[in-house]
């Protein structure tokens, strides 16, 4: 066995100062937050070399166009992915969630409308006897309307 071929792994001892829990197990198992200079030394990279980089955009609707622009401007040996391509399942889940919100809102509006119609119908049916008595006493329609507008009814 030659001594020159035995290479020990590039070991570093780090101190863990905090644990971040994102709630998504895939992220928590794959990522650490640390200084890039340590990673460059471990991988024997130059100062200007990185494993990946992120581009942040202000308008999320432009993410596909920006992703294509970054792809066109990077070296052919590198791969680019937008976050929507990398984590497509999360964005599909969010679209399903948006659809559910629309369905819930439609159901809530329908229930509220039915409740208002029923409440008005009950109010009118409850006062039918009073309207009949007022008509029998000789009240005209305007007087009856005034009673409904000005009086507060107690149930």
């Amino acid at each position: 066995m030659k001594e020159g071929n035995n290479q020990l792994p590039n070991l570093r001892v780090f101190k863990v100062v905090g644990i971040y829990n994102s709630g998504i197990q895939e992220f928590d198992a794959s990522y650490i937050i640390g200084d890039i200079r340590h990673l460059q030394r471990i991988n024997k990279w130059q100062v200007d070399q990185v494993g990946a980089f992120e581009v942040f955009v202000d308008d999320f609707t432009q993410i596909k166009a920006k992703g294509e622009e970054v792809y066109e401007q990077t070296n052919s040996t590198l791969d680019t992915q937008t976050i929507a391509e990398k984590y497509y399942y999360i964005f599909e889940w969010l679209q399903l969630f948006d659809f559910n919100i629309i369905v819930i809102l439609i159901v809530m509006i329908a229930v509220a409308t039915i409740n208002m119609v029923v409440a008005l119908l009950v109010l009118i049916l409850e006062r039918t006897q009073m309207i009949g008595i007022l008509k029998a006493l000789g009240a005209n329609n305007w007087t009856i309307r005034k009673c409904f507008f000005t009086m507060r009814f107690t149930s």
Side-chain angles (χ1 to χ4, degrees):
M1 223 176 168
K2 295 183 181 178
E3 286 185 30
N5 289 342
N6 286 342
Q7 289 187 356
L8 293 175
N10 195 355
L11 297 177
R12 298 279 193 278
V13 178
F14 293 101
K15 178 180 175 185
V16 176
V17 294
I19 297 175
Y20 179 75
N21 183 8
S22 68
I24 301 173
Q25 191 174 10
E26 183 179 320
F27 286 122
D28 295 340
S30 302
Y31 294 102
I32 63 167
I33 299 173
D35 190 352
I36 192 169
R37 292 174 290 189
H38 293 299
L39 190 61
Q40 288 171 335
R41 273 189 246 131
I42 290 171
N43 289 330
K44 297 183 175 107
W45 289 345
Q46 299 297 320
V47 179
D48 61 347
Q49 286 181 303
V50 293
F53 67 92
E54 293 182 6
V55 177
F56 293 95
V57 294
D58 293 327
D59 185 9
F60 191 76
T61 59
Q62 297 294 320
I63 194 165
K64 188 171 183 177
K66 290 294 181 184
E68 291 172 2
E69 184 180 334
V70 168
Y71 177 76
E72 291 171 3
Q73 294 183 7
T74 54
N75 191 344
S76 64
T77 60
L78 301 176
D79 183 30
T80 63
Q81 287 181 321
T82 64
I83 194 163
E85 293 168 348
K86 188 171 184 180
Y87 302 109
Y88 65 91
Y89 49 89
I90 293 175
F91 289 93
E92 286 178 359
W93 181 79
L94 289 173
Q95 286 176 347
L96 181 65
F97 186 69
D98 289 342
F99 177 74
N100 287 344
I101 287 176
I102 292 169
V103 170
I104 290 169
L105 285 176
I106 289 171
V107 168
M108 286 175 63
I109 290 170
V111 168
T113 304
I114 291 169
N115 281 341
M116 288 177 64
V117 168
V118 167
L120 289 172
L121 191 61
V122 165
L123 182 67
I124 292 170
L125 292 175
E126 208 175 70
R127 300 299 175 191
T128 304
Q129 193 175 24
M130 183 186 84
I131 294 169
I133 292 171
L134 288 173
K135 281 284 196 182
L137 292 173
N140 60 15
N141 289 340
W142 174 246
T143 307
I144 295 172
R145 283 189 198 117
K146 247 180 14 181
C147 287
F148 275 96
F149 288 139
T150 57
M151 293 172 58
R152 292 182 185 213
F153 299 106
T154 57
S155 300

